[in-house]
Amino acid sequence: MTTELIPGGHPPDPRPTGTPMPHQRRGPDGTGSLHVDNRSRSSVITARAAASFEPVGRSVATARSFVRDTLQGWGFADIVDDAVVLTSELVTNAVVHAGTAADVLCLRADDAVRIEVADRYPEREVPLQGPAATMGSPDREGGRGLQLCAALAARWGVDYTPTHKNVWFQLDLPERPVGTRAAGPSLPADLLPLADGRVRVAVVQIDRKGSVTAWNEDAEELFGHTAGQVTGRPLTDVAAWPHTPGTGTGIAEALQLSRWEGSYGIRCADGRVTSVYASHLRVRDTGGEPSTVCLLVRDHERAVLQTPMRLPSSEQAPAADGQSADPFEVFIGSPAPDDLDGLLQRTVERARDMLDGDAAFLLLATDDETELEVRASTGLPSARQRFARVPVEAGPGRYGSARMPAVHEDLAVVPGAVPLLNDTGMRSVVTVPLKVEGRLTGSLGVAAEAPGRYSNEEALRLQFAADRIALAVESARLGELERLRRGSLSFLVEASDLLAGTLDRDQTLALMAQMTVPTLATWCAVYTIADQASEPYLSYVLHEDEELIDGIKSLLSKISPPDPVPTPGARVWSAPGAVAHQAALRSSMRSLGLTGGPTYQTSSGIGPTLATASAVGGETVVLPLVARNRVIGMLTLGKPTDEHFRQEILELAEDLSRRAALALDNARLYSERTAISQALQRSLLPPGQPQIEGVEVEVIYRAAGEGNEVGGDFYDVFPISDDAYGFAIGDVCGTGPNAAAVTGLARHALRLLAREGLSGPAVLERLNSAILDEGARSRFLTLLYGELRPREDGSAELKVVCAGHPLPLRLRQDGTVEAAAEPQPLLGVIEDLELYEETVVLDPGDVLLCVTDGVTERREGTRMLGDDGLAEVLTTCTGLTAGAVAARVMRAVERFASDAPSDDMAILAMRVPGIQPD
């Protein structure tokens, strides 16, 4: 679609030179007669817009939107409906009946608008004579487009070329007083809108990606951000958009609309949110690049930008067919917002303008009709009442019932009659119910600062409007509720999956907070309770702005935690907001030097405190975390200043808290059992390795299985006497806790028996008996046990017994590797064992390597490392220290296969250092 502006001139004439222009008009008898209009089209064309549409059914709707947007952009809302109807019929004839593409051209002149629809089927002619019925019978599907042109258009006609048929119509613009487009009555000075001495209009330009490209001086003055600070950043970084999860129009969608008008907030440099009234206009530059120009004023100065109010329904002009326009569209405007928040906001703005009020509000009833929830307001301080609830029957007398229209001539006489307006400065108010089939669905009110502004007449007008919109509001509310329920179900399913995916307590706490912020709340704090005798402990704090987390954590640490009440449901906790307000007040007074203390600069002293106060100054609720009939903590959710929670959000948070409580308790139980297991496992490990003079000893131990520190393999090196040390490396059948139990028995028995002075065979025979005494819990055990005695000549003598264990390997200085013992029967199988002791002497530079079968049985497919593979690795370790030998062997084992080891592994390396030259 292309649009161009022409400063002056005549529109191009698609007819061949000399060809007259047929013009069809109704004669006095109602029949159609051909009229040739030879008058010169002398009007100056000031703008044109053209677009082409494919021959498909959806092009008709697209063409309607094109014409509507074009005329509304030119400011010709008075003729939009007629133009859209005629365009729809003519484009339908082209793309549906003629089956060709349609070219639509809109021409703007000073006193009229001309729209041309051309198709590419010129031989489909229009009859030049005969009654109108021959052009389009009401019983036929098509053919009524020309009848509508004759009925609605001031002038119309059909042009033919060899390739096109062009049907055009012209709509005259209504006469308007010179220099006046819209005007209001003269008012006394005290009734004029309130504004500061100088009205500042912030002009902000946003590119197609939603980033700020221009930020004028008034924007800097209003919001405190310099142009350099915001240019290039998304507008969403500073815009506090009134958005409900899963519903409503977001700021990104609003910036894409051709024109938008309404209220939202801007986050200032000091952390406060300033309510603004905005007018957005979508434009494009000469290169075709779109952008959005945003004009912003403070909310109480909205009269500077706000579109003049529409006439009341009783003053609307009748439609072209003589019937009254749709009352809903008259009140709401066309097109109506397609989301609930937009519809409610449009409703309160229209209601306020209709009764010339200073404020308006709309409340929706809960399912049981006992409470009303504030869902939209305009003219009231910020959005502090949003989602707040008031009882239906609050207040005295007939003014207290929301089920009947009510007029309050002066609220000062009946204080508290309308709780929503307390401390707002409003004196008079009219409220009417929204009802669908006799059921209360909401309440609409308009208020003014002056008393006695409204009477029963205004109540009837407002009730008439409320009756027209009640069904649409209820339908939109039910649609929003259904979307929210679907979104809630999806949210809870995802939350359950995430919480079930971890048994780590700290990670569970983090997930709880991250799932609530910012979906359900602006900030969140989680308190945990270790046991019934413990006080709640602040375990986790999260805010959507990370810079505020430390401030909130510091503030909450100064407040007594909420009481751990097991009653389900959310309860309001006022302490954070009150303390934040007091802290901000004290900080402000110190900054002004009012307390006699030091004066602080605003940027360093008052800023963080005010930002924290604003962050926690709204509604705060506490939900208990109950698991297994015990309160294990509290989930605290908060909103910033002037914001409240919706009931649907609180119900969703309650469902989440139940799931989170069980997940947190499971994580606690898992952590406790893991700690107990790890403590028991650590008790089975040797307390430490003794330093043996003249012998290097190195051990590497890896237990298979997640969370296991001890398995079926074990090792030990311990002193027996002043000149003798015992060493052992063994493997219990199996892995896990049962194998670890036998491991503990074997290791402690070895130490005890060896220190009794028994020989190696005697020690193992008694250990064998102890294992067999375990009965069904016994497991067979392979064990290499030995005693080591360093010699004065630098060598070391070892006496070893290899009971079914992989044989120890001896590495000599020349690189040769040989077995250092003979195999003997394993333990835990037969009662009478006959074991013997073998003596091995390690010369300086020799290494004795002892491993468990987890090393030699390392597999990669059908390949196994084996004894030969281990010996081959050991041959490369000549000259290495004991630690380097053990590390190289372990590295070779790990690289042998790509999979993680599935068996426990233990490596014990002992080396007699070589003799150093003098």
Side-chain angles (χ1 to χ4, degrees):
M1 183 176 69
T2 59
T3 303
E4 56 180 323
L5 296 177
I6 304 176
H10 301 287
D13 191 345
R15 298 175 290 123
T17 304
T19 303
M21 183 190 310
H23 179 72
Q24 190 77 19
R25 285 189 175 178
R26 287 188 178 276
D29 58 354
T31 61
S33 62
L34 180 65
H35 172 78
V36 179
D37 187 352
N38 290 321
R39 289 181 295 171
S40 173
R41 286 174 287 176
S42 59
S43 298
V44 175
I45 303 302
T46 58
R48 73 170 68 219
S52 297
F53 302 95
E54 296 297 324
V56 293
R58 64 175 179 273
S59 294
V60 179
T62 308
R64 286 198 297 265
S65 299
F66 163 69
V67 172
R68 177 184 291 109
D69 292 344
T70 299
L71 297 187
Q72 287 181 340
W74 289 347
F76 299 152
D78 301 318
I79 62 172
V80 165
D81 293 338
D82 289 348
V84 168
V85 169
L86 296 178
T87 302
S88 179
E89 289 293 330
L90 297 180
V91 173
T92 301
N93 291 340
V95 302
V96 177
H97 302 304
T100 74
D103 301 323
V104 179
L105 174 65
C106 301
L107 301 173
R108 182 180 72 182
D110 294 334
D111 56 354
V113 169
R114 175 185 170 104
I115 297 178
E116 302 178 358
V117 179
D119 65 43
R120 299 163 192 179
Y121 194 1
E123 63 270 22
R124 188 181 177 93
E125 297 185 359
V126 177
L128 301 182
Q129 299 181 14
T134 62
M135 293 188 298
S137 170
D139 296 329
R140 297 174 55 192
E141 180 183 357
R144 291 188 294 272
L146 300 182
Q147 291 181 351
L148 288 174
C149 287
L152 300 179
R155 300 170 59 202
W156 69 278
V158 184
D159 299 335
Y160 289 97
T161 70
T163 58
H164 289 75
K165 179 175 91 230
N166 187 53
V167 183
W168 61 271
F169 62 88
Q170 178 175 306
L171 299 173
D172 292 338
L173 298 176
E175 294 185 3
R176 293 175 176 146
V178 176
T180 301
R181 290 295 301 278
S186 299
L187 297 174
D190 59 343
L191 296 181
L192 295 176
L194 181 64
D196 290 343
R198 175 187 173 187
V199 177
R200 297 186 181 274
V201 180
V203 181
V204 183
Q205 191 155 4
I206 312 298
D207 63 17
R208 70 161 64 227
K209 298 179 180 178
S211 299
V212 177
T213 59
W215 185 271
N216 72 343
E217 293 180 0
D218 278 356
E220 296 182 7
E221 184 67 23
L222 286 174
F223 311 127
H225 304 287
T226 65
Q229 291 173 332
V230 296
T231 300
R233 294 172 55 190
L235 181 62
T236 53
D237 285 359
V238 295
W241 192 259
H243 182 62
T244 301
T247 64
T249 300
I251 189 170
E253 291 83 355
L255 292 174
Q256 297 300 317
L257 299 176
S258 61
R259 187 178 292 274
W260 184 90
E261 189 172 322
S263 300
Y264 53 91
I266 295 293
R267 296 186 180 92
C268 299
D270 60 2
R272 297 181 298 106
V273 175
T274 295
S275 296
V276 298
Y277 191 82
S279 177
H280 296 176
L281 177 65
R282 188 81 165 158
V283 298
R284 64 183 177 91
D285 60 20
T286 55
E289 184 68 13
S291 62
T292 303
V293 177
C294 305
L295 304 180
L296 313 174
V297 297
R298 283 170 288 202
D299 195 71
H300 66 272
E301 297 171 341
R302 62 171 56 231
V304 176
L305 299 180
Q306 192 168 33
T307 301
M309 67 179 181
R310 297 170 63 93
L311 293 174
S313 57
S314 60
E315 302 173 21
Q316 290 289 337
D321 58 2
Q323 298 179 358
S324 298
D326 182 1
F328 174 77
E329 292 190 358
V330 168
F331 182 73
I332 293 297
S334 181
D338 57 0
D339 66 286
L340 179 61
D341 286 342
L343 179 61
L344 299 182
Q345 192 62 34
R346 178 81 64 85
T347 298
V348 296
E349 291 171 0
R350 292 289 190 264
R352 181 194 62 181
D353 295 343
M354 185 179 73
L355 298 187
D356 193 22
D358 296 313
F361 52 89
L362 192 149
L363 304 87
L364 294 183
T366 56
D367 292 339
D368 57 5
E369 300 180 18
T370 59
E371 290 182 309
L372 293 171
E373 185 178 56
V374 182
R375 290 298 303 269
S377 64
T378 180
L380 296 178
S382 184
R384 67 186 179 87
Q385 302 290 352
R386 184 171 171 82
F387 302 133
R389 289 193 168 196
V390 295
V392 168
E393 302 297 336
R398 68 183 184 91
Y399 301 113
S401 176
R403 303 181 190 276
M404 296 291 292
V407 177
H408 304 257
E409 297 177 354
D410 192 351
L411 291 177
V413 179
V414 191
V418 183
L420 178 64
L421 300 181
N422 291 345
D423 302 322
T424 62
M426 301 298 163
R427 296 286 298 276
S428 56
V429 61
V430 54
T431 60
V432 296
L434 298 177
K435 292 185 178 181
V436 175
E437 298 179 351
R439 182 173 57 86
L440 180 68
T441 60
S443 178
L444 176 63
V446 178
E449 295 179 350
R453 284 281 298 276
Y454 302 116
S455 63
N456 289 339
E457 181 180 352
E458 283 79 11
L460 291 176
R461 290 179 60 192
L462 188 61
Q463 184 66 71
F464 180 80
D467 292 341
R468 302 286 80 76
I469 66 169
L471 183 59
V473 169
E474 181 66 5
S475 298
R477 187 188 73 86
L478 294 176
E480 180 205 55
L481 187 60
E482 180 62 24
R483 289 192 297 272
L484 187 60
R485 285 174 177 170
R486 289 199 300 267
S488 299
L489 181 60
S490 176
F491 172 79
L492 291 175
V493 169
E494 183 178 359
S496 298
D497 289 343
L498 290 172
L499 291 171
T502 179
L503 287 172
D504 181 83
R505 177 183 176 276
D506 293 338
Q507 189 173 1
T508 302
L509 289 172
L511 283 175
M512 290 170 58
Q514 291 166 6
M515 285 185 292
T516 57
V517 176
T519 304
L520 305 181
T522 306
W523 64 272
C524 167
V526 183
Y527 291 86
T528 57
I529 303 175
D531 52 59
Q532 298 293 341
S534 301
E535 290 293 325
Y537 174 75
L538 182 61
S539 298
Y540 201 91
V541 175
L542 184 65
H543 190 280
E544 60 181 5
D545 185 352
E546 294 184 357
E547 295 181 356
L548 298 176
I549 294 177
D550 291 339
I552 296 176
K553 187 181 299 183
S554 175
L555 185 144
L556 293 178
S557 65
K558 301 174 183 178
I559 305 173
S560 299
D563 295 331
V565 179
T567 306
R571 68 182 191 276
V572 177
W573 186 29
S574 59
V579 172
H581 175 74
Q582 294 172 4
L585 182 60
R586 287 194 299 269
S587 180
S588 300
M589 295 180 65
R590 285 198 304 269
S591 69
L592 297 174
L594 299 179
T595 61
T599 300
Y600 298 98
Q601 296 296 326
T602 300
S603 59
S604 61
I606 192 173
T609 302
L610 290 180
T612 302
S614 177
V616 302
E619 187 175 43
T620 302
V621 297
V622 178
L623 298 105
L625 298 175
V626 181
R628 298 176 176 89
N629 299 321
R630 186 174 71 87
V631 180
I632 63 171
M634 283 89 70
L635 178 63
T636 304
L637 306 180
K639 288 280 190 180
T641 300
D642 298 339
E643 291 194 22
H644 297 261
F645 286 98
R646 291 185 57 184
Q647 185 62 26
E648 292 86 349
I649 297 298
L650 294 180
E651 292 172 357
L652 181 58
E654 186 177 355
D655 286 339
L656 175 64
S657 67
R658 287 194 291 267
R659 290 165 170 78
L662 187 59
L664 183 62
D665 200 47
N666 288 339
R668 177 188 63 82
L669 293 174
Y670 177 79
S671 298
E672 290 178 357
R673 283 157 176 73
T674 300
I676 293 172
S677 174
Q678 291 175 344
L680 292 175
Q681 291 185 62
R682 284 192 291 270
S683 70
L684 301 178
L685 293 173
Q689 294 178 205
Q691 296 294 324
I692 304 177
E693 186 177 356
V695 179
E696 299 174 0
V697 180
E698 182 65 29
V699 176
I700 296 179
Y701 180 77
R702 300 282 175 83
E706 183 179 358
N708 290 334
E709 296 186 28
V710 177
D713 290 6
F714 68 96
Y715 70 92
D716 200 0
V717 179
F718 55 92
I720 299 176
S721 60
D722 292 340
D723 60 346
Y725 298 87
F727 66 90
I729 184 169
D731 184 2
V732 178
C733 174
T735 60
N738 293 330
V742 178
T743 295
L745 170 65
R747 192 177 67 78
H748 290 293
L750 284 176
R751 286 192 171 217
L752 181 62
L753 295 172
R755 288 170 178 170
E756 291 294 325
L758 300 176
S759 64
V763 169
L764 268 58
E765 289 170 2
R766 285 168 172 74
L767 176 59
N768 180 64
S769 299
I771 294 174
L772 292 175
D773 289 342
E774 290 294 308
R777 295 180 297 176
S778 66
R779 290 168 175 259
F780 64 80
L781 168 68
T782 67
L783 180 63
L784 173 65
Y785 172 76
E787 295 180 2
L788 181 148
R789 288 181 171 81
R791 291 181 173 181
E792 294 181 358
D793 59 359
S795 63
E797 179 186 67
L798 291 82
K799 295 182 178 180
V800 299
V801 180
C802 186
H805 199 76
L807 300 180
L809 299 180
R810 176 180 181 178
L811 172 65
R812 297 185 181 274
Q813 279 190 313
D814 58 5
T816 59
V817 175
E818 61 184 8
E822 296 291 335
Q824 299 183 59
L826 51 77
L827 308 181
V829 178
I830 58 178
E831 294 185 0
D832 297 326
L833 285 180
E834 294 184 3
L835 303 175
Y836 56 91
E837 200 171 57
E838 299 178 75
T839 301
V840 179
V841 177
L842 295 182
D843 297 325
D846 288 355
V847 175
L848 184 71
L849 178 66
C850 310
V851 300
T852 58
D853 60 6
V855 174
T856 57
E857 295 179 1
R858 176 76 161 144
R859 294 181 179 274
E860 174 69 15
T862 58
R863 297 170 49 241
M864 186 173 72
L865 180 64
D867 295 334
D868 294 338
L870 180 62
E872 184 177 349
V873 173
L874 189 58
T875 56
T876 65
C877 298
T878 304
L880 299 181
T881 64
V885 171
R888 178 169 294 185
V889 171
M890 178 57 73
R891 189 163 55 249
V893 172
E894 291 175 341
R895 292 178 177 177
F896 186 79
S898 58
D899 296 336
S902 59
D903 195 5
D904 303 329
M905 292 188 294
I907 299 174
L908 172 63
M910 293 180 289
R911 176 177 179 269
V912 177
I915 299 176
Q916 299 295 328
D918 296 336

